[in-house]
């Protein structure tokens, strides 16, 4: 809606004119941005960790964590606990499920339909082209779908993570021609091309439309699939149908906030099951033996609750804030010895912000109650999710990083207001 679009644009304009242009790195400036944020109230509805992470013996409540680890596990709304507790009320110790198996299956089917409706809005896909899987991981789902689409005697091209991403900031950091060259070599012998949409280390975004065009022109009848776990719920809105891909696989425990043991998701372009897989049945059929008799009502309820949080705001507004948060973090770290990954500089990766810094230690960050993801070789990913990250959170993250790099103090506790 125009009104919401103006609010997102106003926040970005305020960041540029009042903060970046004036080189204002004060906490007061961060608080002023939070005051302009139309999504700020959503943070109170999410469970922010307060107990010490990765240490079961330390159960004392402490100050809230600065949580930036959504690229591994997204935080959930507080409402999830109430929804799941209400579902457990259907059971008692003597008689078992009060609804019976048929009732539970009907409840699961209804929740799955609701979830696919919500996911369709975020991913730019028709709900009927989406499926949720409870016993199949994204890795296994990818393997099964590739096996389904691969024609006998043909090969599968897995796009090299470092060869397919386009240039960013005017620098040719990658060479898309390498992928085209591989396709030319394989030619008609390639039946499936598989690539991640977001680079898992740098956050750079692949040009999926160009990849599809190259694959379809050089390998006729080729099927193109994407792994979108770092894009689903992060890049808003996606347009899977518009990209022209044939299938996509994703996890719901990251930016979609599906929770622990979350469901896997997949998208298969509509019409393919009738036209190209008639002999072997639709693509969904390969998962039937894994999902038989499963009623993941609790996990579906948790995901549905998380998706409702997205429904509260226009997707463009969430996207505007994600870009503003990562731009603000990049600005705050400019004066330190932090090196920002090329993909994160382009602002095209939503909340995915990759950086490296010699001397930074994840344990030091955890001691300060700061949670980020580590990708190895000194590379970190911070994910300021617009639904539950404030500009003050980003300011304090940058302060902790600078303090650790400056004096090596790994034990000082942050001030909790």
């Amino acid at each position: 809606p125009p009104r919401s679009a103006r609010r997102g644009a106003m926040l970005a304009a305020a960041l540029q004119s009042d903060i970046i242009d004036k080189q204002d790195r004060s906490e007061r400036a961060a608080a002023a941005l939070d005051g302009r944020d139309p999504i700020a109230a959503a943070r109170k509805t999410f469970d922010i960790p307060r107990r010490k992470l990765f240490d079961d013996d330390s159960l004392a409540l402490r100050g809230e964590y600065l949580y930036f680890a959504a690229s591994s596990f997204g935080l959930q709304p507080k409402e999830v606990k109430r929804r799941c507790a209400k579902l457990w009320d259907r059971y008692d110790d003597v008689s078992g499920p009060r609804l019976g198996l048929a009732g539970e299956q009907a409840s699961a089917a209804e929740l799955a339909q609701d979830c696919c409706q919500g996911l369709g809005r975020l991913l730019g896909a028709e709900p009927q082209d989406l499926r949720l899987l409870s016993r199949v991981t994204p890795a296994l789902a990818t393997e099964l779908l590739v096996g389904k689409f691969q024609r006998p005697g043909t090969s599968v091209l897995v796009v090299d993570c470092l060869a397919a991403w386009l240039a960013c900031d005017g620098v040719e950091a990658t060479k898309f021609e390498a992928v085209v060259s591989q396709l030319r070599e394989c030619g008609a012998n390639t039946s499936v091309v598989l690539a991640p949409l977001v680079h898992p280390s740098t956050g750079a975004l692949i040009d999926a439309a160009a990849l599809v065009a190259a694959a379809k022109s050089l390998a006729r009848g080729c099927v193109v699939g994407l792994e979108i776990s770092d894009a689903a719920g992060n890049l808003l809105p996606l347009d899977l149908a518009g990209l022209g891909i044939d299938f996509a696989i994703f996890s719901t425990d990251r930016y979609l906030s599906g929770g622990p043991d979350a469901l896997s998701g997949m998208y298969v372009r509509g019409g393919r099951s009738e036209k190209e897989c008639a002999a072997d049945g639709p693509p969904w059929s390969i998962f039937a033996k894994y999902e038989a008799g499963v009623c993941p009502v609790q996990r579906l309820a948790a995901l549905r609750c998380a998706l409702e949080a997205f429904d509260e705001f226009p997707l463009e507004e969430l996207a505007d804030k994600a870009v503003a948060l990562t731009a603000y973090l990049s600005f705050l770290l400019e004066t330190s010895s932090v090196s920002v990954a090329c993909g994160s500089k382009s602002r095209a990766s939503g909340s995915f912000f990759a950086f490296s810094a010699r001397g930074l230690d994840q344990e030091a960050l955890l001691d300060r109650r700061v949670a980020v993801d580590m990708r190895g070789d000194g590379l970190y990913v911070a994910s300021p999710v617009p639904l539950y990250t404030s500009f003050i959170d980003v300011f304090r993250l940058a302060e902790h990083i600078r303090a650790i790099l400056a004096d090596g103090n790994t034990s000082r506790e942050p001030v909790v207001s």
Side-chain angles (χ1 to χ4, degrees), residues 142 146 149-151 154-160 164 176 179-180 182-184 186-187 189-196 206 208 210-216 218-219 221-227 245-248:
T142 302
V146 167
F149 291 128
Q150 184 179 7
R151 298 191 300 271
T154 61
S155 61
V156 176
L157 175 60
V158 179
V159 175
D160 183 89
F176 191 74
V179 179
V180 178
Q182 283 182 286
L183 284 168
R184 285 199 184 101
C186 298
N189 195 45
T190 301
S191 60
V192 180
V193 174
L194 183 65
I206 196 173
L211 177 65
V212 170
K216 300 291 185 182
L218 297 173
C222 180
V223 173
V224 180
L226 295 178
E227 207 289 329
I245 62 171
D246 297 288
F247 71 92

Side-chain angles (χ1 to χ4, degrees), residues 156-176:
V156 176
L157 175 60
V158 179
V159 175
D160 183 89
C161 289
L162 297 177
W165 276 264
L166 298 182
C168 54
D169 290 350
V171 179
E172 285 197 3
T174 57
K175 295 183 179 179
F176 191 74

Side-chain angles (χ1 to χ4, degrees), residues 25 46 56 65 98 116 123 180 184-185 203 210 218 222 244 268 280 298 307 331-332 335 349 363 368-369 382 394:
R25 292 182 172 84
F46 279 79
D56 294 335
Y65 267 77
R98 296 176 183 172
C116 287
L123 303 180
V180 178
R184 285 199 184 101
E185 290 178 10
L218 297 173
C222 180
V268 176
D280 301 323
Q298 294 278 346
L307 292 174
F331 163 71
L332 292 174
T335 57
S349 303
E363 289 300 322
R368 291 165 174 262
R369 298 203 295 278
V394 172

Side-chain angles (χ1 to χ4, degrees), residues 167-335:
C168 54
D169 290 350
V171 179
E172 285 197 3
T174 57
K175 295 183 179 179
F176 191 74
E177 293 79 8
V179 179
V180 178
S181 177
Q182 283 182 286
L183 284 168
R184 285 199 184 101
E185 290 178 10
C186 298
N189 195 45
T190 301
S191 60
V192 180
V193 174
L194 183 65
L197 179 58
V198 175
H199 191 289
S201 294
T202 69
L205 189 67
I206 196 173
D207 189 337
L211 177 65
V212 170
K216 300 291 185 182
S217 63
L218 297 173
R220 185 162 299 182
C222 180
V223 173
V224 180
L226 295 178
E227 207 289 329
I228 61 169
S229 292
D230 280 319
N234 175 27
L235 304 182
L236 298 171
L238 276 178
D239 184 14
L240 294 182
L243 290 176
I245 62 171
D246 297 288
F247 71 92
I249 300 293
F250 58 95
S251 171
T252 62
D253 61 352
R254 301 183 191 181
Y255 297 96
L256 291 171
S257 299
D261 194 26
L263 301 162
S264 303
M266 67 175 178
Y267 159 83
V268 176
R269 178 170 55 84
R272 169 162 291 278
S273 59
E274 294 79 14
K275 294 179 181 178
E276 294 156 286
C277 298
D280 301 323
W284 321 119
S285 63
I286 59 176
F287 301 100
K289 63 181 179 181
Y290 297 93
E291 299 295 308
V294 178
C295 298
V297 179
Q298 294 278 346
R299 286 179 284 171
L300 285 166
L303 178 59
R304 176 60 248 176
C305 186
L307 292 174
E308 287 174 1
F310 288 93
D311 293 339
E312 295 295 320
F313 305 96
L315 298 184
E316 294 79 6
E317 195 169 291
L318 292 169
D320 286 340
K321 183 181 176 182
V323 171
L325 287 167
T326 52
Y328 184 50
L329 179 56
S330 181
F331 163 71
L332 292 174
L333 295 175
E334 278 179 358
T335 57

Side-chain angles (χ1 to χ4, degrees), residues 2-268:
R3 178 181 179 185
S4 299
R6 284 198 299 269
R7 291 198 300 178
M10 287 171 61
L11 182 63
L15 172 64
Q16 184 65 44
S17 62
D18 299 343
I19 311 286
I20 297 178
D21 290 347
K22 296 179 180 179
Q23 294 292 295
D24 188 351
R25 292 182 172 84
S26 66
E27 187 171 3
R28 174 190 54 79
L33 287 174
D34 282 330
R36 292 172 176 263
D37 179 15
I39 308 173
R43 189 181 191 279
K44 297 179 181 179
T45 67
F46 279 79
D47 262 327
I48 311 295
R50 297 181 65 87
R51 294 176 177 175
K52 189 173 182 181
L53 297 179
F54 313 122
D55 186 354
D56 294 335
D57 296 326
S58 179
L59 298 179
L61 290 178
R62 309 165 76 188
E64 284 184 353
Y65 267 77
L66 293 175
Y67 193 85
F68 292 87
S71 63
S72 289
F73 183 80
L75 299 183
Q76 292 185 284
K78 296 176 181 177
E79 177 68 10
V80 168
K81 292 181 179 178
R82 192 192 68 81
R83 296 272 184 95
C84 290
K86 186 176 180 180
L87 285 171
W88 277 113
D89 289 342
R90 296 177 176 179
Y91 296 80
D92 60 51
D93 295 335
V94 178
S95 61
R98 296 176 183 172
L99 295 180
L101 179 59
E104 290 298 293
Q105 287 177 333
S107 179
E110 183 179 350
L111 281 169
Q113 186 176 13
D114 290 343
C115 287
C116 287
Q117 288 282 350
L119 288 170
R121 173 175 176 257
L122 301 183
L123 303 180
E126 293 296 328
Q128 62 267 25
D129 294 338
L130 297 166
R131 290 292 189 280
L132 291 167
L133 307 169
S134 60
R135 286 183 175 173
V136 179
T137 64
L140 178 57
T142 302
E143 185 176 344
L144 292 173
L145 274 178
V146 167
K148 177 75 173 178
F149 291 128
Q150 184 179 7
R151 298 191 300 271
T154 61
S155 61
V156 176
L157 175 60
V158 179
V159 175
D160 183 89
C161 289
L162 297 177
W165 276 264
L166 298 182
C168 54
D169 290 350
V171 179
E172 285 197 3
T174 57
K175 295 183 179 179
F176 191 74
E177 293 79 8
V179 179
V180 178
S181 177
Q182 283 182 286
L183 284 168
R184 285 199 184 101
E185 290 178 10
C186 298
N189 195 45
T190 301
S191 60
V192 180
V193 174
L194 183 65
L197 179 58
V198 175
H199 191 289
S201 294
T202 69
L205 189 67
I206 196 173
D207 189 337
L211 177 65
V212 170
K216 300 291 185 182
S217 63
L218 297 173
R220 185 162 299 182
C222 180
V223 173
V224 180
L226 295 178
E227 207 289 329
I228 61 169
S229 292
D230 280 319
N234 175 27
L235 304 182
L236 298 171
L238 276 178
D239 184 14
L240 294 182
L243 290 176
I245 62 171
D246 297 288
F247 71 92
I249 300 293
F250 58 95
S251 171
T252 62
D253 61 352
R254 301 183 191 181
Y255 297 96
L256 291 171
S257 299
D261 194 26
L263 301 162
S264 303
M266 67 175 178
Y267 159 83
V268 176

